[in-house]
Amino acid sequence: MVYTLYVELAAHSFAMDLLFTWLWITTECGRLQVSPGEIVVLPQGFRFVVDLPDGPSRGYVAEVFGTHFQLPDLGPIGANGLAASRDFLAPTAWFEDCPRPGFTIIQKFGGELFNARQDFSPFNVVAWHGNYVPYKYDLSKFCPYNTVLIDHGDPSINTVLTAPTDKPGVALLDFVIFPPRWLVAEHTFRPPYYHRNCMSEFMGLIYGGYEAKADGFLPGGASLHSCMTPHGPDTKTYEATVARGNEAGPHKITDTMAFMFESCLMPRTCPWALDSHFRDLDYYQCWIGLKSHFSHDKTDVKSNDLQNGNKSG
């Protein structure tokens, strides 16, 4: 079955368990036990309930409208690598046939929430068929690819799932992870370089530390760099990387899992987030103190001595 590759949906939610606890997500297709470091995709229209057996839990959620989540095209990589379809798991059919007086359904429609009450369980579906199902994926099963000689690869090489647009290479939403992996590139600035691009980047940290921000970016935290907003490693990471020189040996990034929602759309920050006392008002200061390490041989070259890289005749 290929339901793990393509899920028919017009809008769906995407959730990631964060703390060292687990969830029971009950759907009309069955139940999913979700552990830390796993993701869940819930297609549009499904009734679901999230139970917290171990108490409060935190995570990240994204909603996608108008397209499908699918595995990215592997291109020159070939048939294997990144997220494998066999590792996506769908629930076994499960149902409950019992009275549930006052069961409240909260339905999102047109951007608003509506309530409805019924006296029976919505999970009384005995069986299902087809490929329109919820599913989960364990991020530890991801097979990362990386640079083995020079240069820093684009983060798209770490895409787990993508919701593409009609324009090739531009996604409605890419879900990208930064898992444990080896860094072996030579004569290369290994962390993400300073950049701005046409995509908006929402990053979160599940556990461990993030390679491009040595301090202040903690598990459960998130950052947002909107379209064309310059960003890159903090000063501490930058200076430590430069200090290693061009001959730094292989280094393994361990005990970490960061992720990114990358979208061609411009996200709007809600008042709740802007007014939150968890907001880092001093975030910009992580780049204070950046200084240039650029060096070159100074030569006395007149502007008319060279033309298009060649001596003028």
Side-chain angles (χ1 to χ4, degrees):
M1 298 178 66
V2 295
Y3 56 78
T4 54
L5 268 159
Y6 300 94
V7 178
E8 296 297 326
L9 50 97
H12 60 268
S13 297
F14 176 98
M16 183 185 314
D17 191 22
L18 171 65
L19 297 183
F20 291 98
T21 184
W22 53 278
L23 313 175
W24 270 114
I25 300 181
T26 304
T27 75
E28 293 161 289
C29 287
R31 307 176 75 192
L32 290 169
Q33 182 178 349
V34 186
S35 301
E38 294 185 330
I39 62 173
V40 177
V41 175
L42 301 172
Q44 179 195 31
F46 270 82
R47 302 284 193 257
F48 68 93
V49 168
V50 178
D51 291 307
L52 308 174
D54 290 338
S57 180
R58 300 177 63 193
Y60 304 86
V61 177
E63 284 189 315
V64 178
F65 296 86
T67 189
H68 313 278
F69 258 141
Q70 63 187 62
L71 293 178
D73 294 331
L74 296 186
I77 294 176
N80 303 310
L82 307 186
S85 60
R86 65 178 179 270
D87 294 324
F88 288 79
L89 303 178
T92 300
W94 177 92
F95 71 96
E96 60 178 8
D97 183 20
C98 60
R100 296 292 296 271
F103 197 106
T104 302
I105 303 292
I106 301 176
Q107 178 76 45
K108 186 174 184 180
F109 183 79
E112 298 185 19
L113 298 177
F114 298 86
N115 293 342
R117 291 182 179 274
Q118 60 187 45
D119 293 329
F120 59 92
S121 172
F123 309 120
N124 57 357
V125 180
V126 177
W128 54 267
H129 66 89
N131 59 5
Y132 193 74
V133 296
Y135 57 86
K136 73 171 187 174
Y137 175 74
D138 183 351
L139 298 179
S140 68
K141 296 183 180 298
F142 187 79
C143 178
Y145 277 66
N146 210 346
T147 300
V148 295
L149 188 60
I150 58 172
D151 208 354
H152 177 86
D154 189 278
S156 60
I157 197 64
N158 291 317
T159 300
V160 180
L161 291 168
T162 181
T165 63
D166 294 334
K167 184 177 180 180
V170 178
L172 182 63
L173 185 71
D174 279 340
F175 173 63
V176 180
I177 65 172
F178 304 97
R181 62 203 183 277
W182 280 96
L183 300 180
V184 298
E186 302 171 347
H187 301 280
T188 295
F189 186 79
R190 290 176 174 175
Y193 42 75
Y194 298 95
H195 65 285
R196 61 181 184 267
N197 56 25
C198 63
M199 304 286 276
S200 297
E201 301 179 4
F202 177 92
M203 284 201 62
L205 184 62
I206 305 173
Y207 61 83
Y210 178 54
E211 61 179 308
K213 197 170 192 304
D215 299 312
F217 194 50
L218 303 177
S223 65
L224 173 63
H225 299 109
S226 294
C227 170
M228 294 303 170
T229 302
H231 57 283
D234 62 12
T235 302
K236 185 175 181 179
T237 301
Y238 171 72
E239 292 294 343
T241 302
V242 172
R244 295 189 187 103
N246 290 328
E247 304 301 330
H251 170 68
K252 188 175 183 180
I253 298 177
T254 59
D255 301 322
T256 182
M257 182 66 74
F259 78 94
M260 181 166 66
F261 293 139
E262 189 172 35
S263 176
C264 63
L265 302 180
M266 181 72 73
R268 186 173 66 178
T269 308
C270 65
W272 176 86
L274 292 176
D275 297 336
S276 172
H277 64 278
F278 292 113
R279 181 183 169 198
D280 184 2
L281 299 176
D282 298 324
Y283 176 60
Y284 70 95
Q285 293 190 9
C286 73
W287 294 294
I288 297 297
L290 280 173
K291 59 182 180 181
S292 174
H293 289 269
F294 178 73
S295 62
H296 63 97
D297 295 329
K298 295 182 179 180
T299 56
D300 185 14
V301 179
K302 296 181 179 180
S303 61
N304 61 351
D305 284 345
L306 297 176
Q307 186 176 29
N308 295 328
N310 298 313
K311 291 184 179 181
S312 56

